[in-house]
Amino acid sequence: MGLEEEIKKRRTFGIVSHPDAGKTTLTEKLLLFGGAIQVAGAVKSNKIKKGATSDFMDIERQRGISVATSVMAFDYRGKKVNILDTPGHKDFAEDTYRTLTAVDSVIVVIDVAKGVEEQTENLVKVCKMRKTPIIVFINKLDREGKDAFDLLDEVEQKLGINVVPQSWPIGMGQRFQGVYNLYEQKLCLFSAHGKQAEEETMTFTDLDDNSLDQIVGEAAAEELRSEVEMITEVYPSLEVEEYLKGNISPVFFGSAINNFGVKELLDCFVEIAPAPLARETEERLVEPNEPSFSGFVFKIHANIDPKHRDRIAFLRICSGIFERNTNYKHQRLDRKLKFSNPTSFMAARKEVVDEAYPGDIVGLYDSGNFKIGDTLTAGETLNYKGIPSFSPEQFRFVNNANPLKTKQLNKGILQLMDEGVAQLFVMEQSQRKIIGTVGALQFDVIQYRLEHEYGASCTYEPLRIYKACWVTCDDPKEMKEFISRRKKDIAKDKDGKLVYMAETQWGLKTVQENHPKISFHFTSEY
Ligand code: G4P
């Protein structure tokens, strides 16, 4: 099969949700459909259990599990589906943002009772920044939840996306009878055991057909008829082009745990979801069907065995064919590297691959050459864009607790930052190091890993910082003036970019007003 056909076959996507909405369950059902796993329960949730903030072994175990389930590939109806897993815990949100740079589309899972929750809002914002096409799956219809129309309004308002329902629930909770597949005009009935058998799917081109009343009961049939009429009036029909542009999102209803509505979702997904697309580099737009290989690292995972400091760098192939034992150019280091054991992931199974195509993810064993965002190419100078750092939420000074291990501490901190565990800022004036994270959990992870992997120990000191803002200015004189006046609040990030550490929201506003020519950015990509 040629490169072009291989690209057309690929569907690389991520599932995002607020914790507990059903992401892990849905992933598992998709893998069952794809034959990648045979029994339910084979995919372990990689979420860190609630309240486990100081259970380090648990964190370590979870990290181990999430390597195996980081990428799950399976074949379905002639397509090769790559699911990129994202951590459920909100303290690892940054990891999820980065993973979203490596997908071509996403499925958003929403709990019918809880509606749109905070983390879903944040994740969808990131998808919208890149115009990533979104399909919505409303889960847990076997339980009582919000009215379907109200929920669609909530999705539109809170997520700012235009929805197009593709299936419609008939009742919910105790009264849940099934879904009407609007796309194919089929009635899919839900049985108590939750198994959706073929014979339970009936095609209904005309909902006025009397037999509908006999099947679902008169009241439910009437309700369905009037609701479907309303849907047709209120919502546009599904224009795939508009979905691909990120302007509209198809919505499906179902119950992942009961395997209900999942097939409709998957069938539509493989049909309409985008194959790998062209991607921006700092130099030019790169088409996936270009013959020369290129790709970028979006995630780095440390080995859980502390005796082997090896890491796995996850590389998304963007163009050409990636081949084993071939020299590739590492852009940042300007060095040739070759990989003898690139790994592909099939559910919990890892396999050495000889070649991989655009849309595929390969794991590269790394002894410290890679940072998140690094580009590899067959030789051309290219740098993939689009792995931003967001301003952390929590900041602490980091102190060396064992002066005999200063070297180890510095090395450990730098390597953990390369992995993207947290962000490091160095204050210009005092040269003190500050670690910034999304959640408190990372501080514990860093301390634990520094000790166990690098033999170094650190302590933290609380610090009041509201936001880290990357600062730029077209006028170098103005910038110099700003730096000298705000010296004590200026730091540099890991790439040497200038950052203003704002103590309070109010303080930031005042500084912005006093320095109108300076631009303040909340992400490192501007
Ligand atoms: P997450 O990855 O998004 O965090 O969610 P996960 O799939 O782990 O699901 C969270 C909980 O919701 C699980 O229950 C799961 O069984 C349940 N769930 C998933 N889909 C459905 C559904 O369609 N209907 C209903 N009623 N429940 C659903 P748990 O009790 O937290 O865990 P477990 O003991 O069942 O594993």
Side-chain angles (χ1 to χ4, degrees), residues 191-209:
S191 78
H193 303 296
K195 266 261 165 273
Q196 184 190 343
E198 272 309 317
E199 58 271 23
E200 287 167 325
T201 307
M202 278 162 256
T203 307
F204 263 89
T205 39
D206 182 10
L207 279 184
D208 288 331
D209 192 329

Side-chain angles (χ1 to χ4, degrees), residues 177-233:
Q177 299 205 50
V179 290
Y180 183 62
N181 184 338
L182 293 152
Y183 192 50
E184 296 178 338
Q185 301 187 317
K186 271 184 189 162
L187 188 68
C188 313
L189 295 179
F190 177 66
S191 78
H193 303 296
K195 266 261 165 273
Q196 184 190 343
E198 272 309 317
E199 58 271 23
E200 287 167 325
T201 307
M202 278 162 256
T203 307
F204 263 89
T205 39
D206 182 10
L207 279 184
D208 288 331
D209 192 329
N210 279 342
S211 53
L212 181 67
D213 302 64
Q214 280 144 31
I215 301 164
V216 298
E218 242 171 74
E222 253 334 291
E223 200 179 336
L224 179 66
R225 285 182 190 118
S226 74
E227 287 180 342
V228 168
E229 201 181 314
M230 205 148 128
I231 295 163
T232 336
E233 278 167 22

Side-chain angles (χ1 to χ4, degrees), residues 399-416:
N399 296 324
N400 186 0
N402 182 353
L404 296 175
K405 302 277 179 173
T406 307
K407 249 171 80 184
Q408 286 86 336
L409 181 79
N410 290 340
K411 184 175 174 192
I413 289 179
L414 285 180
Q415 288 210 345
L416 293 181

Side-chain angles (χ1 to χ4, degrees), residues 17 19-25 47 139-140 142-143 255-257:
S17 74
D20 278 344
K23 181 171 71 72
T24 311
T25 313
K47 66 186 164 186
N139 191 25
K140 307 196 185 180
D142 57 317
R143 286 201 184 150
S255 166
I257 196 121

Side-chain angles (χ1 to χ4, degrees), residues 17-23 47 50 108-121 136-148 150-155 158-159 172 253-254:
S17 74
H18 194 87
D20 278 344
K23 181 171 71 72
K47 66 186 164 186
K50 294 176 202 89
V108 174
V109 184
I110 291 171
D111 183 324
V112 69
K114 297 199 176 132
V116 177
E117 295 172 271
E118 188 196 342
Q119 209 169 324
T120 315
E121 272 184 68
V136 176
F137 182 71
I138 298 185
N139 191 25
K140 307 196 185 180
L141 264 288
D142 57 317
R143 286 201 184 150
E144 285 304 328
K146 299 187 179 186
D147 170 76
D150 289 349
L151 205 49
L152 292 184
D153 282 350
E154 188 179 326
V155 169
K158 285 200 178 161
L159 300 182
M172 78 175 57
F253 289 84

